[in-house]
């Protein structure tokens, strides 16, 4: 039964639209042109940003047209900054935003996201555990946790084990990458106060961290990925628009 | 060089004095403390005074932080809900009795200390390199244990917080990796194979001087000998009944005296011993 379900499953996973409606529409066109129909779409945060199309994008995401996929959306770094500006986040002074983008973006972001959408942003999930996959903006550590192909393997593995997931899909870095742990083992030993020594041998089952790329960050070039749960294959898509 | 590492004194002056005597008898050259000087026990000011009088390098524990910052507990600060309720009562009492200078001292404690020796690098933290509140239990996933040691950039990572001493040696770690990165102008890329292997690393938990949870009331600490890289787990009997009596005299919950006399409190059994702090 599970195999029957998985066989037909085909996911589109994207992140980092950052208000860029044009890029999002280009990705949607590509999704709807897939030979194997996509039956689930996940957006791993950063739907809002400084782009002037932000409010139009939010309207489309919140009310997909008839026949369109309804995306599962989780919160990202830009959503957290937006909530901060409204006194609803953990950093009400917006120090992280100021540090990375300067004072001038406060007003732009504040105006880009209509007040009526702020409560909706607040209701977004932190991430999704679907099958044995964690779909999240950063990691379970925080939405600011930036995982890249250059992140230490021990850190990436830690993020997988913390979440008890075999695959971790993330978007914070904006990079598109597939980081596969193929095998591994550690021999260790615990010695207690009583002098008892317990050997522990642990092997690593295959696991992976996938950066899904960014839809809206790079001008005229959108990245996202397709995922086939049945085969565990990831296909990266690069769309010019 | 012999380094004595102690942790989790928790206002238990009687236990501290006995351990200090043992450290001297063992001929240790240095002492390092992994924090939690206060909380639960009846002598928080006196313990801090004693540590300061000996100029013992100390990292900030979760209790030290909470007395400075106000309670900063997440779900992993206490091993169970019952332990959390009792911890809150201990916090209120300790918060009332600590002197201002003690609070200032606790506030300036670092989160980690390092000692570089010819024989290797040592790092000292209270809970883990991530957080004072994270429990590194002896049965922790090997790969996570390795990550914690690697993130400290040490060969030996000393921690406390669990109140149960142990040594975890991590040998022969090998991980095979394949990395594929997609470049901005392309959706094609060839995976690059890599492998990671690490030399032997160790995780050493110093146990607890003043509030042991290994099933006996004795104080525990560790001695690290840098010459042969040996770790000795020490268990030191002391007159715990004196501390138990002082706990009751000071008006602290009697359960703390009972718990101290047992070296264990059933409510202290972690609901989820594998829980990892998400901070």
């Amino acid at each position: 039964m599970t195999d029957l379900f998985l066989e037909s499953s085909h996911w589109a996973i994207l992140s980092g639209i950052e208000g860029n409606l044009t890029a999002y529409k280009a990705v949607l066109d590509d999704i709807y042109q897939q030979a194997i129909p996509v039956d689930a779409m996940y957006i791993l945060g950063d739907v809002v940003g400084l782009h002037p199309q932000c409010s139009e994008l939010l309207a489309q995401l919140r009310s997909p047209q008839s026949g369109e996929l309804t995306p599962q959306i989780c919160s990202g770094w830009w959503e957290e900054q937006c909530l901060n500006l409204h006194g609803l986040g953990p950093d009400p002074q917006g120090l992280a935003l100021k540090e990375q983008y300067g004072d001038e973006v406060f007003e732009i972001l504040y105006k880009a996201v209509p007040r009526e959408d702020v409560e909706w942003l607040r209701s977004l999930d932190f991430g999704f555990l679907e099958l044995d996959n964690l779909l999240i903006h950063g990691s379970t550590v925080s939405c600011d946790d930036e995982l890249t192909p250059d992140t230490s393997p021990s850190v990436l593995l830690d993020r997988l084990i913390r979440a008890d997931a075999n695959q971790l899909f993330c978007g914070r870095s904006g990079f598109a990458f597939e980081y596969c742990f193929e095998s591994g083992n550690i021999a260790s030993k615990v010695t207690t106060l009583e002098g008892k020594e317990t050997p522990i041998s642990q092997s690593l089952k295959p696991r992976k961290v996938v950066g899904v790329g960014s839809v809206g960050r790079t001008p005229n070039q959108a990245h996202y990925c397709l995922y086939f749960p049945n085969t565990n294959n990831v296909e990266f898509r690069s769309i010019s628009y | 060089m012999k380094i004595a590492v102690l942790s989790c004194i928790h206002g238990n002056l009687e236990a501290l004095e006995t351990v200090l005597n043992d450290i001297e008898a063992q001929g240790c050259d240095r002492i390092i403390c992994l924090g939690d000087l206060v909380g639960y026990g009846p002598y928080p000011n006196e313990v801090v005074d004693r540590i300061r009088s000996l100029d013992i390098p100390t990292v900030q524990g979760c209790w030290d932080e909470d007395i400075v910052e106000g309670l900063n507990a997440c779900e992993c600060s206490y091993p169970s809900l019952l332990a959390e309720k009792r911890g809150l009562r201990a916090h209120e009492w300790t918060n009332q009795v600590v002197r201002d200078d003690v609070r200032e001292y606790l506030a300036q404690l670092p989160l980690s200390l390092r000692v570089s020796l010819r024989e290797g690098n040592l790092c000292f933290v209270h809970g883990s390199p991530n957080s004072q509140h994270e429990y590194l239990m002896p049965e922790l996933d090997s790969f996570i244990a390795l990550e914690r040691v690697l993130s400290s950039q040490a060969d030996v990572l000393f921690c406390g917080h669990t109140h149960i001493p142990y040594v975890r040696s991590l040998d022969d770690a090998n991980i095979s990796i394949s990395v594929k990165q997609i470049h901005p102008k392309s959706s094609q890329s060839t995976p690059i194979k890599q492998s990671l292997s690490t030399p032997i690393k160790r995780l050493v938990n110093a146990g607890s001087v003043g509030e042991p949870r290994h099933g006996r009331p004795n104080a525990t600490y560790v001695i690290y000998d840098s010459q042969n890289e040996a770790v000795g787990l020490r268990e030191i009997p002391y007159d715990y009944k004196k501390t138990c009596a002082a706990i009751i005299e000071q008006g602290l919950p009697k359960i703390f005296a009972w718990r101290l006399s047992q070296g264990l409190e059933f409510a202290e059994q972690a609901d989820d011993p594998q829980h990892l702090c998400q901070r």
Side-chain angles (χ1 to χ4, degrees):
Chain A
M1 192 68 187
T2 304
D3 286 346
L4 283 174
F5 165 70
L6 291 176
E7 202 171 337
S8 62
S9 200
H10 188 196
W11 301 354
I13 310 173
L14 41 149
S15 181
I17 305 170
E18 297 184 11
N20 189 338
L21 179 63
T22 308
Y24 178 61
K25 283 182 172 174
V27 166
L28 281 184
D29 287 346
D30 190 67
I31 288 172
Y32 291 131
Q33 285 171 20
Q34 293 301 311
I36 302 172
V38 169
D39 58 356
M41 178 162 63
Y42 296 91
I43 301 179
L44 311 185
D46 280 1
V47 293
V48 302
L50 305 176
H51 200 282
Q53 294 173 319
C54 210
S55 61
E56 289 174 75
L57 172 77
L58 285 167
Q60 172 147 353
L61 290 174
R62 294 185 66 178
S63 306
Q65 290 172 7
S66 175
E68 282 188 347
L69 288 165
T70 299
Q72 301 293 311
I73 306 170
C74 68
S75 191
W77 188 85
W78 277 107
E79 281 73 52
E80 190 165 292
Q81 306 318 307
C82 189
L83 294 178
N84 285 336
L85 292 188
H86 289 268
L88 300 170
D91 176 18
Q93 291 179 305
L95 297 176
L97 183 62
K98 183 178 178 179
E99 187 182 339
Q100 292 197 34
Y101 292 89
D103 286 329
E104 59 273 19
V105 301
F106 280 59
E107 189 178 353
I108 299 171
L109 180 61
Y110 193 86
K111 287 181 176 172
V113 181
R115 184 70 181 86
E116 57 270 25
D117 288 321
V118 173
E119 276 304 315
W120 178 77
L121 293 180
R122 199 181 183 190
S123 72
L124 295 178
D125 288 302
F126 184 61
F128 307 105
L129 263 173
E130 199 68 51
L131 303 176
D132 56 348
N133 306 288
L134 173 67
L135 301 122
I136 199 163
H137 184 68
S139 76
T140 57
V141 171
S142 77
C143 77
D144 194 26
D145 197 20
E146 193 164 316
L147 305 179
T148 77
D150 296 321
T151 302
S152 153
S154 61
V155 171
L156 292 175
L157 193 51
D158 170 69
R159 301 305 188 256
L160 282 160
I161 295 170
R162 279 171 182 262
D164 200 17
N166 288 330
Q167 290 78 231
L168 189 165
F169 292 87
C170 58
R172 173 76 187 116
S173 72
F175 291 123
F177 66 92
E178 186 175 11
Y179 199 114
C180 301
F181 292 93
E182 296 178 336
S183 63
N185 56 70
I186 298 183
S188 73
K189 184 176 68 183
V190 176
T191 306
T192 63
L193 191 59
E194 289 73 23
K196 184 183 169 192
E197 292 186 350
T198 307
I200 301 170
S201 178
Q202 194 174 337
S203 297
L204 183 64
K205 59 183 175 182
R207 286 174 147 162
K208 65 173 86 172
V209 177
V210 178
V212 303
S214 170
V215 170
R217 192 178 294 181
T218 307
N220 307 317
Q221 199 75 32
H223 292 272
Y224 77 104
C225 77
L226 297 166
Y227 177 60
F228 302 83
N230 186 39
T231 59
N232 202 22
N233 282 339
V234 176
E235 179 187 339
F236 291 98
R237 302 289 298 165
S238 180
I239 314 297
S240 299
Y241 63 93
Chain B
M1 177 185 283
K2 288 170 82 173
I3 303 174
V5 185
L6 37 144
S7 186
C8 304
I9 303 166
H10 285 298
N12 188 338
L13 188 62
E14 190 69 24
L16 176 61
E17 293 295 355
T18 307
V19 165
L20 290 173
N21 287 336
D22 188 68
I23 288 170
E24 190 173 0
Q26 296 297 317
C28 294
D29 304 289
R30 295 183 70 170
I31 306 173
I32 290 179
C33 178
L34 306 183
D36 271 9
L37 306 182
V38 303
Y40 297 125
Y43 300 115
N45 292 319
E46 292 82 353
V47 163
V48 170
D49 289 344
R50 190 73 174 111
I51 293 289
R52 295 180 76 178
S53 73
L54 295 171
D55 205 16
I56 295 173
T58 300
V59 298
Q60 190 183 60
C62 55
W63 270 89
D64 309 322
E65 180 198 23
D66 285 349
I67 291 302
V68 173
E69 302 280 349
L71 268 182
N72 184 25
C74 72
E75 70 268 32
C76 56
S77 293
Y78 297 97
S80 70
L81 289 173
L82 192 51
E84 184 173 1
K85 283 182 184 171
R86 290 169 182 164
L88 291 175
R89 292 174 67 186
H91 179 270
E92 285 169 10
W93 183 88
T94 308
N95 201 32
Q96 283 171 2
V97 302
V98 290
R99 302 191 312 262
D100 288 346
D101 66 299
V102 167
R103 209 183 298 273
E104 284 167 19
Y105 169 77
L106 297 175
Q108 55 79 48
L109 292 174
L111 296 180
S112 66
L113 288 169
R114 303 193 137 273
V115 173
S116 292
L117 302 167
R118 194 169 44 190
E119 297 83 2
N121 291 314
L122 315 179
C123 182
F124 303 85
V125 298
H126 178 70
S128 89
N130 286 340
S131 161
Q132 297 128 297
H133 297 264
E134 185 174 69
Y135 289 93
L136 299 184
M137 306 299 285
E139 63 273 19
L140 182 69
D141 182 287
S142 300
F143 291 98
I144 288 190
L146 179 67
E147 192 277 332
R148 296 300 183 271
V149 185
L150 291 176
S151 72
S152 71
Q153 299 180 312
D155 297 311
V156 186
L157 173 64
F158 292 88
C159 63
H161 193 45
T162 68
H163 295 207
I164 299 171
Y166 66 86
V167 180
R168 177 89 180 257
S169 74
L170 300 152
D171 315 331
D172 301 329
N174 291 288
I175 301 173
S176 296
I177 304 154
S178 154
V179 184
K180 181 162 77 173
Q181 182 172 4
I182 307 302
H183 296 288
K185 297 292 178 188
S186 159
S187 59
Q188 302 301 315
S189 174
T190 306
I192 298 168
K193 303 272 184 185
Q194 300 173 6
S195 64
L196 167 78
S197 60
T198 63
I200 295 173
K201 300 283 182 183
R202 277 189 292 176
L203 181 60
V204 177
N205 193 300
S208 171
V209 169
E211 217 244 350
R213 291 178 193 162
H214 62 284
R216 293 181 289 276
N218 306 325
T220 59
Y221 76 102
V222 302
I223 296 176
Y224 177 76
D225 189 331
S226 67
Q227 275 200 316
N228 56 15
E229 299 179 39
V231 180
L233 303 178
R234 303 280 301 163
E235 180 174 11
I236 312 299
Y238 73 101
D239 190 353
Y240 65 86
K241 290 178 182 171
K242 274 191 184 175
T243 306
C244 290
I247 286 172
I248 294 166
E249 281 167 21
Q250 295 283 358
L252 278 157
K254 288 179 182 174
I255 188 72
F256 293 160
W258 183 87
R259 184 170 67 183
L260 188 61
S261 71
Q262 304 298 306
L264 179 69
E265 212 261 288
F266 291 104
E268 303 302 320
Q269 300 293 317
D271 292 334
D272 175 10
Q274 297 296 325
H275 174 79
L276 290 168
C277 187
Q278 300 293 321
R279 288 183 176 176

